[in-house]
Amino acid sequence: MSFELPELPYAYDALGPYMSKETLEYHHDKHHLAYVTNGNNLLKDSGLEGKTLEEIVKESFGKNAGLFNNAGQHYNHIHFWKWMKPNGGGKSIPGALAKAIDSDLGGYDKFRADFIAAGTTQFGSGWAWVAVKDGKLVIMKTPNGESPLVHGAAPILGVDVWEHSYYIDYRNARPKYLEAFVDSLVNWDYVLEMYEAAAK
Ligand code: MN3
């Protein structure tokens, strides 16, 4: 398969004031597009052309760094756009997911603190995650384009902590960006969808 840039599932100005139109224009139209374009060039003659995106991410990891970085970031960003919505975030979490957060992550307040801490302490570029591993929710962090997919787990929520995702709106205040993401942007319905798919 070749990679394609998906449309944002909302208007560019829909996530204000937590994530600006300018951030989304650069992040989606320039950064994500570059992963798609570079990924397609590197996919040619890689031997992985016929595979799904998830297979390309897993099979290029540790073997083809250029392809992995771009395919990994393409995968991460496809979901990142859908993990946000206007008027999202906070505690209104669908039942099955809220139950798993209570039993596996110590409840909403502990999840919130631990997820923000994971994103804050990821040194340099990377991502913070909630993933399903061995049937349970776990909080993870990964560098650069890595995700739980290449660490034996299934991501159900991720936040981009590369500077390009917050520097225009928050400058160096990464924790403020992470708080806004959790409190006002998370699309819990999409997290639930990925949780149900991962639990199967
Ligand atoms: Mn990004």
Side-chain angles (χ1 to χ4, degrees):
M1 67 177 286
S2 61
F3 304 147
E4 275 179 48
L5 184 68
E7 295 279 318
L8 284 181
Y10 31 72
Y12 285 86
D13 60 1
L15 301 184
Y18 309 106
M19 187 175 285
S20 65
K21 180 170 185 263
E22 188 183 359
T23 290
L24 283 170
E25 284 170 349
Y26 274 88
H27 199 174
H28 177 273
D29 299 4
K30 310 232 183 258
H31 291 278
H32 190 172
L33 179 62
Y35 301 132
V36 168
T37 306
N38 296 334
N40 279 328
N41 288 333
L42 292 160
L43 188 58
K44 281 177 204 149
D45 307 318
S46 67
L48 298 174
E49 299 92 323
K51 307 275 187 170
T52 66
L53 176 57
E54 286 83 347
E55 288 168 340
I56 294 166
V57 169
K58 288 182 190 172
E59 292 177 30
S60 63
F61 183 58
K63 297 191 186 115
N64 181 339
L67 177 59
F68 172 77
N69 288 335
N70 287 282
Q73 283 289 73
H74 179 44
Y75 173 87
N76 295 348
H77 285 81
I78 286 173
H79 296 292
F80 182 58
W81 310 130
K82 294 160 86 171
W83 278 321
M84 298 186 287
K85 68 169 191 180
N87 305 309
K91 289 187 187 182
S92 40
I93 302 174
L97 187 59
K99 226 179 234 181
I101 289 172
D102 283 346
S103 60
D104 299 345
L105 299 179
Y108 178 84
D109 291 341
K110 184 163 165 39
F111 143 75
R112 181 183 182 279
D114 291 349
F115 184 74
I116 289 170
T120 302
T121 58
Q122 170 54 46
F123 186 76
S125 297
W127 295 74
W129 305 95
V130 177
V132 177
K133 188 166 194 174
D134 303 324
K136 283 190 179 280
L137 296 186
V138 289
I139 288 176
M140 302 174 69
K141 58 184 177 180
T142 58
N144 303 316
E146 290 181 27
S147 75
L149 270 191
V150 298
H151 297 286
I156 65 165
L157 174 66
V159 62
D160 189 343
V161 299
W162 287 56
E163 283 188 347
H164 65 224
S165 67
Y166 62 88
Y167 214 81
I168 291 170
D169 300 321
Y170 299 88
R171 296 301 170 189
N172 60 322
R174 191 191 286 186
K176 291 274 165 226
Y177 155 68
L178 290 164
E179 286 168 15
F181 180 86
V182 175
D183 295 341
S184 305
L185 292 175
V186 174
N187 180 353
W188 287 115
D189 293 327
Y190 188 58
V191 181
L192 175 68
E193 201 180 300
M194 291 199 78
Y195 173 63
E196 287 174 340
K200 269 176 198 157

